Amino acid sequence: MASLLEQGIQNFENENFQKAIKLFEKILKSDPDNSEAIINKTSCLAELGKYNEAIEKLEIFLKKNPNDFVALYNKGTTLYDMDQHEEALDTFDTALKIDPKNSQALCNKANVLVALGRHDDAIRVYNRALQVEPRDVEILNNIGIVYNGQKDYDKSLEYHSRSLTLNEELGDKSSIAMNFWNIGNIFRQRGETEKAFDYLKRSLAINEEIGNKTATSNTLRGLALIYKDKGN
C-alpha cells in the first residue's frame, strides 16, 4: 500500500488538491517538520489560488531551512503567479545560488525578466538554461518568442527551426504543428506571405490529423489573415 506521502503526491498529480492537502496534513499531525509534506501542501494551496497562505507557510519553513532549494523555487513560482515579479526575481536568484545549473529555475527567472520587460536579460538567462539542457524544445521556443517580440525575425526563426528539428526527431506531431504555426507567423510578419501560407497549411494538416480542434480553428484564422494580406 502506498504511503500517505505517496498518496498525497498522487492526488496532487491528479489535481485532487483538497484531498492531497488532507493527506499532507495527516502526516504533519504526527511529524510537524516533515519538509516534503509542508512543501507539497503549499504547492496544493498555490494550485487552488490560495497564494498568500502558500507564501506564508513557505516563509515560515524557510526561516528554519533558508537553503531549501525546492521551497525557494516554489516561493518564486508562487510570487510570479501573484504578479510580484521583483520579489520573484530575488527569490529565484537566491535559489540559483544554491543550484546554479537548475534549468527550471533559470527558465522561471527568465520568464520573470520577460514580465519585467527585460528581454535581453531574459534571453541571456534562457541561454544559460539551454547550456544545461541543449535539447529542451520549450527553452528554444521561449527564446524564439522573445526575439519575435523584439522583431528580430531572423533570430526568432533560428530558434523555432531548431525546436522543429528536435520535435521531428521525437515525432511529436502536436509540437511540430505548433512549430509550423510559429514559423509561418514569422514569415507573415516579414511579409513573406507564400512561405507563411505554406507553413500554416502544414500546421493545419497535422492538427486535423491528430484531431486538435482548437489549434485547427486558430490555424484557419491565421490562414484567413494571410489571404487578407495577399488581397484575396
Side-chain angles (χ1 to χ4, degrees), residues 5-35:
L5 183 63
E6 289 170 336
Q7 290 177 52
I9 291 170
Q10 186 174 29
N11 275 280
F12 174 82
E13 290 173 349
N14 292 334
E15 299 185 4
N16 297 321
F17 302 122
Q18 294 285 10
K19 188 174 180 180
I21 287 172
K22 289 179 181 178
L23 288 162
F24 295 133
E25 286 177 342
K26 194 170 182 179
I27 295 169
L28 292 167
K29 281 182 181 178
S30 58
D31 184 6
D33 294 322
N34 187 300
S35 60

Side-chain angles (χ1 to χ4, degrees), residues 188 193-194 196-198 200-201 204 219-232:
R188 178 174 179 261
T193 53
E194 292 299 331
F197 182 80
D198 177 58
L200 262 65
K201 284 285 286 183
L204 178 64
T219 307
L220 286 168
R221 281 196 291 269
L223 285 165
L225 289 172
I226 294 171
Y227 272 116
K228 185 178 179 181
D229 292 342
K230 293 169 71 175
N232 292 329

Side-chain angles (χ1 to χ4, degrees), residues 99-222:
D99 188 357
K101 292 186 177 181
N102 187 286
S103 62
Q104 289 183 311
L106 287 165
C107 283
N108 275 284
K109 177 181 176 177
N111 293 342
V112 174
L113 289 166
V114 170
L116 290 168
R118 294 169 56 181
H119 298 113
D120 290 336
D121 290 335
I123 288 169
R124 281 191 285 272
V125 177
Y126 278 133
N127 275 305
R128 283 173 57 195
L130 199 59
Q131 289 174 354
V132 180
E133 298 288 349
R135 294 176 62 83
D136 190 308
V137 293
E138 185 176 351
I139 299 171
L140 289 166
N141 287 336
N142 285 344
I143 297 172
I145 289 167
V146 177
Y147 274 125
N148 187 272
Q150 294 182 310
K151 301 187 186 302
D152 189 339
Y153 300 127
D154 289 342
K155 276 289 187 182
S156 182
L157 182 60
E158 174 191 337
Y159 281 91
H160 283 302
S161 296
R162 286 170 61 182
S163 173
L164 172 60
T165 298
L166 290 173
N167 281 321
E168 286 177 333
E169 289 177 15
L170 295 168
D172 185 341
K173 289 186 177 181
S174 178
S175 295
I176 292 168
M178 180 56 70
N179 288 137
F180 285 152
W181 164 266
N182 286 327
I183 292 170
N185 276 305
I186 292 168
F187 282 123
R188 178 174 179 261
Q189 288 167 308
R190 296 205 311 195
E192 299 178 54
T193 53
E194 292 299 331
K195 288 182 179 179
F197 182 80
D198 177 58
Y199 274 97
L200 262 65
K201 284 285 286 183
R202 292 193 214 179
S203 180
L204 178 64
I206 294 174
N207 284 320
E208 288 179 333
E209 177 190 345
I210 64 178
N212 190 330
K213 293 181 180 179
T214 300
T216 296
S217 177
N218 290 338
T219 307
L220 286 168
R221 281 196 291 269

